[in-house]
Amino acid sequence: MSLMGQMMHMPLTISSLLTHASRHNGDVEIVSKRVEGDMHRTTWTEVDVRARKLAQALARLGLQAGDRVGTLAWNGYRHVEIYYGVSGSELVCHTINPRLFPQQVAWIINDAEDKVLFVDLNIFPLVDKLAAMLPTVKHVVVMTSREHMPKESAIPNLLCYEELLAAEDGNYQWPDFDENTAASLCYTSGTTGNPKGALYSHRSTVLHAYAAALPDAMNVASKDTVLPVVPMFHVNAWGLPYTAALIGCKLVLPGHHLDGASLFDLFETEKVTFSAGVPTIWLGLINHVKSNNLKFSTFKSTVIGGAACPPAMIKTLQDDFGVEVIHAWGMTEMSPLGTLSRLKAKHADLPKDAKQRILEKQGKGIYGVDMRIVDQDGKELPWDGKASGDLEVRGHWIISSYFKMDKSPLHDGWFPTGDVATIDADGYMQITDRSKDVIKSGGEWISSIDLENVAMGHPAVHEAAAIAAHHPKWDERPLLVVVKKPGAEVTAAEILAFYDGKIPKWQLPDDVAFVDEIPHTATGKIYKLKLREQFKDHKLPTA
Ligand code: ADP
C-alpha cells in the first residue's frame, strides 16, 4: 500500500487567488478606462469586497451552483469583479465575444443556458435586440450606475450593477468545494461550424495562472504593471486577470479604447511594463508610435500570440522600441497557453540573428502542457525541426471534452489542435499552418504563415495574407493579398522580387492582389475563410 503524504488539502479555487491578492497586495491598484468615458481606480481589497457583494446578489437572484452567468463586456474592473464573484460562488462565468454576429451570440447564450447576463453599457443595444431570442436568461444586468442606465429598453426589469452591489453588505465567505468544479466557460469562435464550449475548472485555471507567471513563460511579478490588450472575452484575457491576482500586480484595463493613440496614452500615464495581445492590435499601436515619433518610457515586454507574429513585428518592437516580444501559441481549448518562445542558457552566446530566429518560433512547451507531432496514421514524428505533422497536446489545462458534447475530441488521449507544426531537438515548436489554411500545391504543402512573414517585412506592406487560389494544374497555388501602408507605392512585381532568396522558388505566390482591408475574425485574426470566399473566382495569371 502506498504511503500517503501528510499535507493539508486546500482546493485550488479561483476565490483563493482573490483572497490572497486582497490580504497580501490589497492596496495595489486596478485602473480602468471606463465605458462611461472616465478613468476609474480601485484596489484588490476593494475588488474582493465588491466580488463578495456580487456573490450575495447572485444568490439573491436565485442562482444555484453550476448555473451559467454570461458576460458581454470589455476589459474593466467590474468585469474582474464578475470573474471572481461568479466563479467564487460556485457559478460558471461565461464570457461572450460581442464582436460575433448577433445570431452567433444568441446561439452561444442559448447553448450555455445562461441565466443572467452582465452587459457593458455600449454593448447593451445588442442584448436589447436579442433578448426575445434568449429563453433561459432571467435577468439582464447593465454594468453601470443608475444615472447611466439605458432610458428605454425592450427588457422588463433591467437591473443596474451598482444598485445590485449597493444592496449587499459583503459579509460573505467564499464557499469551499471540489477544485474540479466548473469555473468558467469560453466558446471557440466557430469560423467553421458552430462554436464549441471549453469548460474550465477551478483547478485548471489556478494551475494555468501559476504557470503563466513563471520566468520562462510571461515572467510577470508584483512589481509589474500589466495591461491586457487581449479582451477578457478572448480565452479569459489569456488568464491574466487570474495571474495578476496571484502575483498581486497592478492591472490596467483599457475598456473598448483599443486604438493606437488611446493605448499609447494609457501605457504612458499608468507606467505599464507588460502587455499581451494578438498581432493585429500591435499594428495600430506601432503605426501610431512610429508616425508620431514617440517613445515608450516604461513598457518592457509583451506576449504576442493568437496568430503567428510576423518576424518584422518582433524586430520593430525590439530594435526600435526596446520592447521584448514573447511569441506564444495556444488555443481556447488550452486555457490558452501552450508554448512561449524563450531562449535557453546554451543560446546565450549566439549571434543576435540566430537568437532572433529561435524567438520567432512559437516556443517551448511549458510544464503542464505536453506535445507531440504525428503523421496521417497517428505515428509520432521526430523532433528534428524538419518533420512536420499534426500537433497534439495533453495537460492539466487542456479540455478532455467539449461542453454538452458526447463525442470525445481526443485521439489516443491527446487533443488534436488542428495545427501543423515542426518541433526541433531543443523542443521549440513552430507552427507551419492551421491544417485548413495550408496551401496544397500539387501534393506539396506551402505554409501561408511563411509567405505572410516575408511580405510583412516589406516596408510598404501594412498587412498581408496568403491563401490558396484554385489552379487547374496544381490544384492550389498561393495568392498574396496585401494592404499597403498609407501613402506607400509598391507593385506586385516588387513584392514578389522581395521573396528572392527568402523562400524556395516554387513557393512564390502566383499573384498579388491589393485590397483596402483584410477581413478579421471577432478575435482580431485574419479571416482566411472569408478571404478564400472573396477570392474564389480569382484567375491566377499562371492558370
Ligand atoms: P479562434 O481563433 O477560433 O477564436 P483560438 O483563439 O483558440 O480560436 O485560436 C487558436 C488557434 O490560433 C491555434 O490553433 C492556431 O491555429 C492559432 N494560433 C494561436 N497562436 C498562434 C501563433 N503564435 N502562431 C500561429 N498560430 C497561432
Side-chain angles (χ1 to χ4, degrees):
M1 224 173 66
S2 358
L3 178 63
M4 302 308 287
Q6 296 179 321
M7 310 312 286
M8 289 185 189
H9 177 69
M10 291 187 61
L12 300 171
T13 54
I14 283 174
S15 58
S16 69
L17 295 172
L18 186 58
T19 303
H20 174 81
S22 168
R23 279 172 67 80
H24 299 270
N25 296 289
D27 61 337
V28 175
E29 279 188 313
I30 292 157
V31 182
S32 311
K33 191 151 180 179
R34 286 207 281 200
V35 170
E36 291 93 333
D38 56 351
M39 294 295 293
H40 175 274
R41 312 185 89 83
T42 180
T43 61
W44 281 112
T45 292
E46 227 178 297
V47 164
D48 181 33
V49 173
R50 282 170 51 95
R52 281 185 281 124
K53 286 186 179 180
L54 182 66
Q56 290 176 307
L58 289 165
R60 202 181 294 279
L61 291 177
L63 269 75
Q64 287 177 356
D67 281 347
R68 270 79 70 198
V69 173
T71 69
L72 280 145
W74 311 107
N75 294 4
Y77 67 104
R78 292 187 182 114
H79 207 173
V80 176
E81 292 163 0
I82 296 167
Y83 264 41
Y84 285 99
V86 170
S87 302
S89 59
E90 222 179 332
L91 305 169
V92 178
C93 182
H94 169 212
T95 53
I96 307 155
N97 186 338
R99 296 197 189 110
L100 293 169
F101 293 120
Q103 307 88 295
Q104 224 171 10
V105 170
W107 189 93
I108 288 175
I109 293 171
N110 290 333
D111 191 63
E113 300 172 62
D114 292 333
K115 290 248 168 74
V116 177
L117 287 182
F118 284 90
V119 189
D120 255 335
L121 201 52
N122 60 355
I123 304 173
F124 178 71
L126 166 71
V127 176
D128 205 27
K129 265 196 228 107
L130 293 178
M133 295 164 61
L134 310 173
T136 63
V137 175
K138 303 281 178 274
H139 305 279
V140 175
V141 185
V142 186
M143 294 159 64
T144 190
S145 49
R146 175 52 60 186
E147 73 264 32
H148 294 105
M149 284 293 283
K151 299 288 173 274
E152 278 172 35
S153 162
I155 302 169
N157 310 322
L158 203 56
L159 296 172
C160 164
Y161 186 86
E162 291 302 331
E163 280 177 2
L164 272 190
L165 261 58
E168 307 298 337
D169 61 10
N171 189 5
Y172 175 89
Q173 288 258 338
W174 296 116
D176 261 338
F177 43 79
D178 186 324
E179 64 186 19
N180 291 302
T181 304
S184 66
L185 176 64
C186 193
Y187 280 74
T188 60
S189 67
T191 40
T192 49
N194 273 332
K196 297 191 281 277
L199 186 62
Y200 312 118
S201 69
H202 282 258
R203 175 188 156 82
S204 71
T205 306
V206 173
L207 290 176
H208 180 269
Y210 259 116
L214 287 171
D216 264 349
M218 294 191 178
N219 190 22
V220 280
S222 57
K223 64 177 188 296
D224 278 303
T225 295
V226 172
L227 187 154
V229 179
V230 52
M232 290 172 71
F233 53 74
H234 188 196
V235 213
N236 294 333
W238 303 350
L240 281 169
Y242 305 115
T243 299
L246 183 143
I247 59 178
C249 70
K250 175 174 164 183
L251 256 186
V252 180
L253 304 168
H256 64 291
H257 311 272
L258 299 178
D259 59 289
S262 307
L263 281 177
F264 181 78
D265 190 47
L266 211 49
F267 272 82
E268 286 303 298
T269 49
E270 295 305 327
K271 302 190 165 48
V272 172
T273 60
F274 178 89
S275 187
V278 296
T280 32
I281 200 79
W282 300 109
L283 284 179
L285 188 59
I286 290 172
N287 256 351
H288 174 76
V289 176
K290 273 209 156 150
S291 52
N292 293 287
N293 256 326
L294 302 166
K295 259 202 166 96
F296 290 109
S297 42
T298 54
F299 186 22
K300 280 204 297 287
S301 70
T302 185
V303 167
I304 301 186
C309 180
M313 182 176 283
I314 302 181
K315 237 175 137 54
T316 302
L317 281 165
Q318 286 181 343
D319 296 353
D320 301 353
F321 303 157
V323 176
E324 170 195 44
V325 173
I326 308 133
H327 192 193
W329 166 86
M331 54 196 311
T332 306
E333 290 89 336
M334 302 174 66
S335 306
L337 285 184
T339 63
L340 294 104
S341 226
R342 292 279 189 188
L343 297 176
K344 296 187 174 185
K346 70 179 191 190
H347 299 136
D349 297 327
L350 287 181
K352 189 162 173 262
D353 275 5
K355 282 184 185 160
Q356 158 100 7
R357 273 197 296 284
I358 296 170
L359 295 173
E360 285 166 3
K361 296 191 174 194
Q362 276 72 8
K364 294 180 287 169
I366 45 180
Y367 172 76
V369 177
D370 191 9
M371 54 183 183
R372 67 174 188 180
I373 42 174
V374 297
D375 67 13
Q376 273 158 348
D377 305 321
K379 212 173 99 247
E380 195 169 346
L381 293 167
W383 290 21
D384 58 8
K386 290 190 198 82
S388 133
D390 294 324
L391 179 62
E392 299 189 333
V393 290
R394 61 179 180 189
H396 306 308
W397 50 80
I398 295 165
I399 62 158
S400 59
S401 54
Y402 286 104
F403 183 57
K404 292 196 346 194
M405 286 173 74
D406 292 334
K407 194 168 169 282
S408 170
L410 302 190
H411 165 231
D412 208 10
W414 294 73
F415 177 77
T417 63
D419 288 325
V420 180
T422 60
I423 305 177
D424 68 20
D426 287 324
Y428 288 84
M429 186 275 286
Q430 183 163 28
I431 300 274
T432 312
D433 232 324
R434 275 196 190 203
S435 54
K436 48 186 185 286
D437 294 338
V438 181
I439 301 157
K440 300 187 179 93
S441 169
E444 296 280 355
W445 287 12
I446 302 174
S447 154
S448 67
I449 295 178
D450 284 352
L451 298 181
E452 288 156 8
N453 282 347
V454 174
M456 289 296 285
H458 191 287
V461 173
H462 174 69
E463 198 171 19
I467 54 168
H470 176 70
H471 191 284
K473 177 164 174 210
W474 303 106
D475 237 4
E476 292 179 358
R477 286 296 301 165
L479 163 70
L480 188 74
V481 184
V482 167
V483 180
K484 287 187 234 175
K485 283 204 178 129
E489 279 307 326
V490 66
T491 63
E494 283 164 350
I495 288 184
L496 292 176
F498 189 68
Y499 279 93
D500 239 13
K502 299 189 178 90
I503 53 159
K505 270 213 159 60
W506 64 272
Q507 298 189 356
L508 188 71
D510 283 27
D511 201 3
V512 180
F514 292 100
V515 294
D516 291 336
E517 207 179 336
I518 284 175
H520 292 102
T521 67
T523 49
K525 308 183 192 189
I526 292 176
Y527 201 165
K528 294 267 171 94
L529 194 74
K530 199 159 179 186
L531 258 189
R532 282 195 292 264
E533 248 168 52
Q534 202 174 316
F535 284 92
K536 72 178 190 310
D537 299 323
H538 185 81
K539 281 258 169 318
L540 292 171
T542 50

